[in-house]
Amino acid sequence: MEQLKWQVYKANMALPEHGLVTYTWGNVSGIDRASDLMVIKPSGVPYETMRAEDMVVVNARGEVVEGQLRPSSDTPTHLALYRAFPQLGGVVHTHSTHATAWAQAGEAIPAFGTTHADYFSGDIPCTRALTAEEVAGEYELNTGQVIIETLCGREPLHIPGILAYQHGPFSWGCSPDEAVHNAVVLEEVAKMAWISRGINPGLRRIDEHLSAKHFSRKHGAGAYYGQR
Amino acid sequence: MEQLKWQVYKANMALPEHGLVTYTWGNVSGIDRASDLMVIKPSGVPYETMRAEDMVVVNARGEVVEGQLRPSSDTPTHLALYRAFPQLGGVVHTHSTHATAWAQAGEAIPAFGTTHADYFSGDIPCTRALTAEEVAGEYELNTGQVIIETLCGREPLHIPGILAYQHGPFSWGCSPDEAVHNAVVLEEVAKMAWISRGINPGLRRIDEHLSAKHFSRKHGAGAYYGQR
Amino acid sequence: MEQLKWQVYKANMALPEHGLVTYTWGNVSGIDRASDLMVIKPSGVPYETMRAEDMVVVNARGEVVEGQLRPSSDTPTHLALYRAFPQLGGVVHTHSTHATAWAQAGEAIPAFGTTHADYFSGDIPCTRALTAEEVAGEYELNTGQVIIETLCGREPLHIPGILAYQHGPFSWGCSPDEAVHNAVVLEEVAKMAWISRGINPGLRRIDEHLSAKHFSRKHGAGAYYGQR
Amino acid sequence: MEQLKWQVYKANMALPEHGLVTYTWGNVSGIDRASDLMVIKPSGVPYETMRAEDMVVVNARGEVVEGQLRPSSDTPTHLALYRAFPQLGGVVHTHSTHATAWAQAGEAIPAFGTTHADYFSGDIPCTRALTAEEVAGEYELNTGQVIIETLCGREPLHIPGILAYQHGPFSWGCSPDEAVHNAVVLEEVAKMAWISRGINPGLRRIDEHLSAKHFSRKHGAGAYYGQR
């Protein structure tokens, strides 16, 4: 658990280093599947003064089991994603500029190039709007539910990020580090897609065979990118 | 008073750290309500060489009561805002890039997402144009007046920033620090709104129930964001 | 002369600090009016390794009178400006991103706001295209001439920068430092103008009375910005 | 060979310094023409921990002859370029933001100004799409082939970079350093071209005589830019 707290702390500190957060916006969590305990950033604490021991440990019901501070207000969203997808080890939420701009625009980020296809199999979806009832009720839980609904049974590690409508991006991975990595990629892909469509407003998606090739260079049995 | 001078000095120095100012543009003030004395940046002094003792203390009529330097030329704007709104403890003016671009465009920044709604209750207004008489007369005072007119009786802490037409942003808060915080948020929200509308030119405002929810997560009796 | 070389060196080094240059692009000069000698950056030398003693001293005919290196290839442009305008003490040329983008677009930068009006009295002009003959002949001299032609008898210190058509910005001031200052402002104003017109494509110029007020706050007998 | 490994290592490290790469994206190679051995970045290794001794040496058939790690997956593209163009000493591939955005848009970067013309003789081409067969087959080799096909017999050092359709930029030069230099220029030119066309959507190319003049200032027998 101390190791996971350190991992989650380091992953949170990576958000400002990568320029993904302003002030206290954004949070990273990690989960220990053996004990079903999640470690998450405390709510509204500045990154500059945050320490590893400030990380909050919560159980599957979101109750604090360790830590002096209140957990991120987005805790129920993180828990919903871990519950639905046992393959996840880390979840990230940010308000990174370009990904948030697409979320505000209410549009999926179209797969325009190989940078996108190296990480995401197809467009990066944008959820539907939450209803007034969903917002008035358990808002953060329902944010998690609508993400799960939008993924629609697809493998989340093949679409390791999504846009919450009018809100901002969530991403995930096998570990807190990988979830941050995917948050960085999502932001960069969002920026490129904005510029590409500015250059060519009628732009179509990447050729299917090129997209599939790049995704498979990095994923699955035939992957040959990186050191093995 | 020494403590307030230090706070105002630190808040001014935070402007270049957050990339909000070029050269000497921008200024932060703070007020001591007990003595009705305001502390403000000296006019046209570079941030690199500015010291806490360079801060200028003025009374409610804008007369210098302490300090060797002339106060910011925007002093009457700051004083007008403090006079109209007793709840303010700090005021900021910058020419930050994206907020200024919206002010030059003469448009309110539409509330497009939760990042905006976390801080601002509704659009970030843009003032009407000052008349030739208002500009020829007490220009800086009239800039304050038109901001007050634009707020139109609404709670300024619920709209903690505004665009002065063809000029740039002003923001405020309970303290100099909080006013700077709101200046940073205003700039980031302005950037996101520009990009969102570039992606989707027909974009509409954030759903009312989502906007209200986010504002209330951070403001008022039911707030549950952060540590309490 | 040693003092001027140091000033010109420091002013050149300020270009990469302000993010105005890539590699060896850009150059600053200063002039000593008593001796009619100009100090300028050597051609194609990287900023990281450049030293004050590398600055090149040339006379009014552009002949090197001191220094081991060849002067900037833009030397004849600088000399033409100093010859035409005795009030200048420094000249800068850069390929800064947004100012160059306007030069490439072949459009003057419209005066959209007070940031612009604080420094420039009216639009920032773009020169006409040079003819094939002017380019084939003394190209750098003709670049200076077309800048002078475009200013058309107006006070250059009231329009302290211009766009060379399909090329990039030149700026100037009473000293090398002030010329760099105006290069930084020109780039920032160019960026803001691009964004403002993106937000509101039908955007008109700043109200004349507001523009005149801001220019006069910083220039002339009635100026009241800064310390005097 | 140790010297070339050091050069290639330093050139790779220059990519993140210039903001051209995110994580492990991008790679630089260099070639020793005497031994026909190529040195290239290992695949998927983070820049922060990479050392000079991690560089991989491969022969003309792409077989590793020195080094513990697997070479970049783009190795066959680099080798194809070296084979076709004996004048090349270095090759770079990145996913730099603006160049990649143009590649995704599927458009050549039009020569809009002298910044472009200083380095590139004419537009920066975008390759045709690879066919499904070319992607399914030796994809990286075919990426090299389509670049060679697009250059169509022109001198590659006069067009020292290109866009691979829906993918990203490749650049080259006489050395690894020069190839990185051209990658930086390509990215900056791509950014300026995007902004210029945003300002003036009907924008035409730079005047031929101005373009030719600038290219010849830096290239060929009559070049007079820099120190000789």
Side-chain angles (χ1 to χ4, degrees):
Chain A
M1 189 52 53
E2 289 313 300
Q3 196 189 341
L4 182 60
K5 283 166 72 176
W6 181 252
Q7 277 178 35
V8 170
Y9 166 70
K10 294 295 282 181
N12 272 291
M13 295 307 287
L15 295 183
E17 284 163 24
H18 285 288
L20 295 190
V21 297
T22 300
Y23 288 117
T24 64
W25 308 350
N27 43 69
V28 184
S29 70
I31 195 162
D32 175 49
R33 292 289 180 181
S35 61
D36 214 19
L37 294 176
M38 180 180 85
V39 179
I40 193 164
K41 179 178 179 291
S43 184
V45 170
Y47 291 92
E48 304 89 64
T49 55
M50 196 167 68
R51 301 158 307 162
E53 53 264 46
D54 293 333
M55 297 302 105
V56 186
V57 184
V58 301
N59 64 20
R61 290 180 305 280
E63 298 158 347
V64 175
V65 300
E66 192 188 319
Q68 305 301 314
L69 299 167
R70 295 168 58 171
S72 165
S73 54
D74 296 314
T75 293
T77 315
H78 291 244
L79 286 171
L81 294 172
Y82 287 123
R83 208 155 40 227
F85 307 121
Q87 59 273 62
L88 303 191
V91 170
V92 172
H93 172 50
T94 78
H95 288 227
S96 70
T97 310
H98 298 85
T100 302
W102 280 91
Q104 293 189 158
E107 295 195 21
I109 303 176
F112 282 144
T114 61
T115 317
H116 184 121
D118 279 336
Y119 290 88
F120 293 87
S121 174
D123 292 354
I124 299 170
C126 183
T127 68
R128 65 167 172 80
L130 292 178
T131 65
E133 289 68 35
E134 286 169 326
V135 169
E138 297 190 70
Y139 168 59
E140 289 82 5
L141 172 61
N142 292 333
T143 297
Q145 299 293 10
V146 78
I147 291 172
I148 296 159
E149 173 192 324
T150 305
L151 285 172
C152 199
R154 298 168 67 194
E155 168 56 53
L157 293 175
H158 290 183
I159 314 172
I162 210 167
L163 306 174
Y165 180 69
Q166 294 181 338
H167 185 172
F170 284 83
S171 63
W172 43 78
C174 295
S175 67
D177 267 7
E178 196 180 292
V180 169
H181 188 113
N182 291 328
V184 172
V185 173
L186 205 169
E187 173 61 11
E188 180 63 16
V189 162
K191 185 174 184 184
M192 286 176 175
W194 164 57
I195 299 171
S196 289
R197 214 155 68 169
I199 292 168
N200 182 347
L203 191 52
R204 294 176 311 167
R205 278 174 184 70
I206 184 173
D207 294 341
E208 178 55 30
H209 52 265
L210 184 57
S211 173
K213 171 70 178 178
H214 266 265
F215 191 77
S216 71
R217 289 213 307 179
K218 288 203 171 181
H219 298 82
Y224 59 94
Y225 181 91
Q227 308 297 326
R228 313 261 145 196
Chain B
M1 190 52 55
E2 288 313 300
Q3 197 189 342
L4 182 60
K5 282 167 71 175
W6 181 253
Q7 277 178 35
V8 171
Y9 166 71
K10 294 295 281 181
N12 272 291
M13 295 307 287
L15 296 183
E17 284 164 24
H18 284 288
L20 296 190
V21 299
T22 300
Y23 289 116
T24 63
W25 309 351
N27 43 70
V28 184
S29 71
I31 195 162
D32 176 50
R33 291 290 180 180
S35 61
D36 213 18
L37 295 175
M38 180 180 85
V39 179
I40 193 164
K41 179 177 180 293
S43 183
V45 170
Y47 290 91
E48 304 88 64
T49 55
M50 197 167 67
R51 302 158 308 164
E53 52 262 46
D54 294 332
M55 297 301 105
V56 186
V57 184
V58 301
N59 65 20
R61 291 182 303 281
E63 298 157 348
V64 175
V65 301
E66 193 188 319
Q68 305 302 314
L69 299 167
R70 296 168 55 172
S72 165
S73 53
D74 297 314
T75 293
T77 315
H78 290 244
L79 286 171
L81 294 172
Y82 287 123
R83 207 154 42 227
F85 306 121
Q87 59 275 60
L88 303 192
V91 170
V92 172
H93 172 49
T94 78
H95 288 226
S96 69
T97 310
H98 298 85
T100 301
W102 280 92
Q104 293 188 158
E107 295 195 22
I109 303 176
F112 281 144
T114 61
T115 317
H116 184 122
D118 279 336
Y119 290 88
F120 294 87
S121 174
D123 293 354
I124 299 170
C126 182
T127 68
R128 65 166 171 81
L130 292 179
T131 65
E133 290 69 35
E134 286 168 327
V135 169
E138 298 191 69
Y139 168 59
E140 289 82 5
L141 172 61
N142 292 333
T143 298
Q145 299 293 10
V146 78
I147 292 173
I148 296 160
E149 172 192 325
T150 305
L151 285 171
C152 197
R154 298 167 68 193
E155 168 55 53
L157 293 175
H158 290 183
I159 314 172
I162 211 166
L163 306 174
Y165 180 70
Q166 294 182 338
H167 185 170
F170 284 83
S171 64
W172 43 78
C174 295
S175 67
D177 267 7
E178 196 181 292
V180 169
H181 188 114
N182 290 328
V184 172
V185 172
L186 205 169
E187 172 62 10
E188 179 64 15
V189 162
K191 184 174 184 185
M192 286 176 174
W194 165 56
I195 299 170
S196 288
R197 215 157 64 170
I199 292 169
N200 183 346
L203 191 53
R204 293 177 312 168
R205 279 176 183 69
I206 183 172
D207 294 341
E208 178 53 32
H209 51 265
L210 184 57
S211 173
K213 172 69 179 179
H214 267 265
F215 192 77
S216 70
R217 288 211 309 178
K218 288 202 171 181
H219 299 81
Y224 59 93
Y225 180 92
Q227 308 297 326
R228 312 264 144 195
Chain C
M1 191 50 55
E2 289 313 299
Q3 197 187 343
L4 182 60
K5 283 166 71 175
W6 181 252
Q7 277 178 35
V8 171
Y9 167 70
K10 293 295 282 182
N12 271 291
M13 295 306 287
L15 296 183
E17 284 164 23
H18 285 288
L20 297 190
V21 297
T22 299
Y23 288 117
T24 64
W25 309 351
N27 43 70
V28 184
S29 70
I31 194 162
D32 176 50
R33 290 290 179 179
S35 61
D36 214 18
L37 295 176
M38 179 178 86
V39 178
I40 193 164
K41 180 176 178 295
S43 184
V45 170
Y47 291 91
E48 304 89 64
T49 56
M50 197 168 67
R51 301 157 308 162
E53 54 263 45
D54 294 332
M55 297 301 105
V56 186
V57 184
V58 300
N59 64 20
R61 291 181 302 281
E63 297 157 348
V64 175
V65 300
E66 192 188 319
Q68 306 301 315
L69 299 167
R70 296 167 58 170
S72 164
S73 54
D74 296 314
T75 293
T77 314
H78 290 246
L79 286 172
L81 294 172
Y82 287 123
R83 206 152 44 226
F85 306 122
Q87 59 275 61
L88 303 191
V91 171
V92 172
H93 172 50
T94 78
H95 288 227
S96 69
T97 310
H98 298 85
T100 301
W102 280 91
Q104 293 188 159
E107 296 196 20
I109 304 176
F112 281 145
T114 62
T115 316
H116 184 122
D118 279 336
Y119 291 87
F120 293 88
S121 174
D123 292 354
I124 299 170
C126 184
T127 68
R128 65 167 172 80
L130 292 178
T131 64
E133 289 70 33
E134 287 168 327
V135 168
E138 297 191 69
Y139 168 59
E140 289 82 5
L141 172 62
N142 292 332
T143 297
Q145 300 293 11
V146 78
I147 291 172
I148 296 160
E149 173 193 324
T150 304
L151 284 171
C152 198
R154 298 168 68 193
E155 168 55 53
L157 292 175
H158 290 183
I159 314 171
I162 210 166
L163 307 174
Y165 180 71
Q166 292 181 340
H167 185 172
F170 284 82
S171 64
W172 43 78
C174 295
S175 66
D177 266 6
E178 196 180 293
V180 169
H181 188 113
N182 291 328
V184 172
V185 173
L186 205 169
E187 172 61 11
E188 180 63 15
V189 162
K191 184 175 184 184
M192 286 176 174
W194 164 57
I195 299 170
S196 288
R197 214 155 68 169
I199 292 169
N200 182 347
L203 191 51
R204 292 176 313 166
R205 279 177 182 67
I206 184 172
D207 294 341
E208 177 54 31
H209 51 265
L210 184 57
S211 173
K213 172 69 178 179
H214 266 265
F215 191 76
S216 70
R217 288 213 308 178
K218 289 204 171 182
H219 298 82
Y224 59 94
Y225 180 91
Q227 307 298 326
R228 314 258 144 198
Chain D
M1 189 52 54
E2 288 314 299
Q3 197 188 342
L4 182 60
K5 282 166 71 176
W6 181 254
Q7 277 179 35
V8 170
Y9 167 70
K10 293 294 282 181
N12 271 291
M13 295 307 286
L15 296 183
E17 284 164 24
H18 285 287
L20 297 190
V21 298
T22 300
Y23 289 116
T24 64
W25 309 351
N27 43 69
V28 184
S29 70
I31 195 163
D32 176 50
R33 290 292 179 178
S35 61
D36 214 18
L37 294 176
M38 180 178 85
V39 178
I40 193 163
K41 179 178 179 291
S43 184
V45 170
Y47 291 91
E48 303 89 65
T49 55
M50 196 168 67
R51 302 158 307 163
E53 54 262 48
D54 294 332
M55 298 300 105
V56 186
V57 184
V58 300
N59 64 21
R61 291 181 303 281
E63 297 158 347
V64 175
V65 301
E66 192 189 319
Q68 305 302 314
L69 299 166
R70 294 167 57 170
S72 165
S73 53
D74 296 315
T75 293
T77 315
H78 290 245
L79 286 171
L81 294 172
Y82 287 122
R83 207 153 42 225
F85 306 123
Q87 58 274 64
L88 302 192
V91 171
V92 172
H93 171 50
T94 78
H95 288 227
S96 70
T97 310
H98 298 85
T100 302
W102 280 92
Q104 292 188 158
E107 296 196 21
I109 303 176
F112 282 146
T114 61
T115 317
H116 184 121
D118 279 337
Y119 292 88
F120 293 87
S121 174
D123 293 354
I124 299 170
C126 184
T127 68
R128 65 166 171 80
L130 292 178
T131 64
E133 289 69 33
E134 287 168 326
V135 169
E138 296 191 71
Y139 168 59
E140 289 83 6
L141 171 62
N142 292 332
T143 297
Q145 300 293 11
V146 78
I147 292 173
I148 296 160
E149 172 192 324
T150 305
L151 285 171
C152 198
R154 298 168 67 194
E155 167 56 54
L157 293 176
H158 290 184
I159 313 172
I162 210 167
L163 306 174
Y165 180 70
Q166 293 181 340
H167 184 173
F170 284 82
S171 65
W172 43 79
C174 295
S175 66
D177 267 6
E178 196 180 292
V180 169
H181 188 113
N182 291 328
V184 172
V185 173
L186 205 168
E187 172 62 11
E188 180 64 15
V189 161
K191 185 174 184 184
M192 286 176 174
W194 165 56
I195 299 170
S196 288
R197 214 155 68 169
I199 291 169
N200 182 347
L203 191 52
R204 293 177 313 169
R205 278 175 184 69
I206 184 172
D207 295 341
E208 178 55 29
H209 51 266
L210 184 57
S211 172
K213 171 70 178 179
H214 266 266
F215 192 77
S216 70
R217 289 213 308 178
K218 288 203 172 182
H219 298 82
Y224 59 94
Y225 180 92
Q227 308 297 327
R228 314 259 145 197

